[in-house]
Amino acid sequence: MAHMSHGAHAQPPTRGQRWSTFRQSPFWPATVLVLILAAAAGLFAGSYTYSMADPTPHSIPTAVVGSYEEDRGQAFLDGLEKALNASVRVRPYGSEAEAREAMQEQEVFAIFELRDDGRTAVLDLSSASGASVAQVLADTAPVVAEQTGVAVTVRDVNPLQDGDPRGLAIFYISLAAVIIGFVGAIQLSVHARSLTPVERILFTAAYALLGGFAIAATVDWLLEALDLPFVESWLILALTMFASGMVFTMFNTLFGRWAMLPTWGLMVLLGNPSSGGAVSWPLLPSPLGTIGQWLPPGASVNAQHTAVYFQGHQHAFPFLVLGGWALLSCAVFWIWRHRHPGGREKRPAHAADS
């Protein structure tokens, strides 16, 4: 009788064996990435469309001075609120000087001065506070004034710079700092895996400082799009890049090769649309306008915006947010540095001597 080969008795792999083989093959992570990238594409488009495609006033702080309590003045303000779906939050001030100071502190976006017992009005806008908000008010106020019999004059008392007529340059440079910040950390993790934790932090700081300088120099000196307070803007960009890079490093420590998911979600899907850079926060959906100020992209836009257009009125809050994220990320990375997929073993003393 002929001997039968072992292959003749081989059983076809079971479903569990096939699944186990697939999980151990390179096709498993590739398939997961295909699904993740498809979902990310939809979320990316959805988050930006939800935030920016149809900006709607929600709460616009507006100063009023003069005869705003007179009947015609009150009718004008009521008509404005009705036209903007009750989104104007009126703040009375005792004088125009007080209202102007509030505008410089970015507490209000516009000043309505009612004169002649409310028969005339002057609307002082600040495009630098938010070009989209200023445009909404400039379009709406004359229509309401005609309906209520008030003669209105519209002025832009704090315009945008000539090289930035739509007020988007600050958003773009902040976006560059955020994206290159975490992309730089990704590249360090791929091409410089053997860096020790201290070295990784130092090199992140190094490319943040150099990258921030490059962004500021390109926009100001080369393109002349913005006249920046150079050192302040440079350091804001550098702090943004460092915080963004360390956020990825933190997530890489916690989640390994999937660190891009929380980084992208926090910085790009949530942080950039809610930063107030492309659409001013009073026109964003209410939760985003609040959340965005606590995330690195929003803090970067806020700090840069004040540095460029409201010099002498800088606030500590955005720097505390950026510094807080950087400190938190460094602390998490340092505490769990043994989990980070990088570093190198120190050579034993006897090996070094041999």
Side-chain angles (χ1 to χ4, degrees):
M1 179 180 290
H3 292 286
M4 298 184 65
S5 66
H6 292 290
H9 297 285
Q11 297 295 320
T14 64
R15 179 178 298 180
Q17 290 173 331
R18 288 196 299 269
W19 174 248
S20 178
T21 301
F22 175 66
R23 287 289 301 270
Q24 295 173 13
S25 75
F27 301 114
W28 165 247
T31 301
V32 172
L33 282 174
V34 166
L35 298 175
I36 289 174
L37 291 171
L43 289 171
F44 183 82
S47 65
Y48 279 68
T49 302
Y50 173 68
S51 303
M52 302 179 185
D54 185 23
T56 304
H58 292 279
S59 180
I60 304 177
T62 306
V64 291
V65 295
S67 307
Y68 57 87
E69 293 182 334
E70 300 294 335
D71 290 343
R72 190 169 294 185
Q74 194 62 52
F76 173 70
L77 293 176
D78 290 345
L80 192 67
E81 289 218 9
K82 183 178 180 181
L84 295 175
N85 297 318
S87 60
V88 176
R89 193 164 73 244
V90 171
R91 297 182 181 179
Y93 287 87
S95 67
E96 184 181 353
E98 292 179 6
R100 286 288 181 92
E101 179 64 20
M103 179 179 283
Q104 291 300 309
E105 290 290 332
Q106 300 178 75
E107 296 173 356
V108 297
F109 282 78
I111 303 171
F112 282 104
E113 184 181 1
L114 282 303
R115 302 172 178 173
D116 302 325
D117 296 329
R119 289 191 296 272
T120 62
V122 176
L123 169 58
D124 285 343
L125 297 173
S126 175
S127 293
S129 300
S132 48
V133 172
Q135 187 64 51
V136 167
L137 291 174
D139 291 343
T140 307
V143 176
V144 174
E146 185 176 352
Q147 294 172 349
T148 55
V150 176
V152 66
T153 301
V154 180
R155 306 182 302 191
D156 192 348
V157 297
N158 197 6
L160 294 162
Q161 295 184 15
D162 292 339
D164 184 29
R166 297 186 179 182
L168 294 175
I170 288 175
F171 174 65
Y172 294 147
I173 65 175
S174 300
L175 177 63
V178 168
I179 299 295
I180 300 302
F182 68 73
V183 168
I186 293 172
Q187 294 305 302
L188 282 182
S189 68
V190 172
H191 300 291
R193 289 178 60 87
S194 61
L195 290 176
T196 66
V198 171
E199 291 167 347
R200 190 171 297 275
I201 292 173
L202 291 177
F203 272 92
T204 302
Y207 77 67
L209 282 169
L210 192 58
F213 181 88
I215 294 172
T218 299
V219 172
D220 189 344
W221 300 344
L222 182 61
L223 300 178
E224 297 183 347
L226 282 175
D227 182 13
L228 300 174
F230 195 86
V231 173
E232 185 178 4
S233 291
W234 170 22
L235 295 179
I236 292 169
L237 291 166
L239 181 56
T240 302
M241 290 186 72
F242 180 74
S244 183
M246 290 310 303
V247 163
F248 173 82
T249 304
M250 172 181 69
F251 286 136
N252 201 19
T253 304
L254 297 176
F255 303 112
R257 65 182 178 179
W258 301 111
M260 188 59 186
L261 294 178
T263 304
W264 185 263
L266 183 71
M267 295 295 195
V268 178
L269 295 184
L270 182 59
N272 284 327
S274 65
S275 67
V279 175
S280 301
W281 63 262
L283 304 185
L284 290 171
S286 297
L288 289 183
T290 301
I291 294 171
Q293 300 176 55
W294 291 89
L295 298 177
S300 181
V301 167
N302 287 344
Q304 198 70 255
H305 183 253
T306 303
V308 173
Y309 287 111
F310 300 93
Q311 296 180 24
H313 297 271
Q314 186 62 268
H315 302 281
F317 177 71
F319 293 94
L320 293 175
V321 172
L322 287 171
W325 278 101
L327 184 61
L328 172 66
S329 300
C330 286
V332 171
F333 170 52
W334 187 259
I335 292 170
W336 284 284
R337 59 189 181 277
H338 60 281
R339 296 184 52 181
H340 189 274
R344 62 182 182 272
E345 296 292 336
K346 292 184 178 180
R347 295 177 62 190
H350 63 82
D353 294 336
S354 60

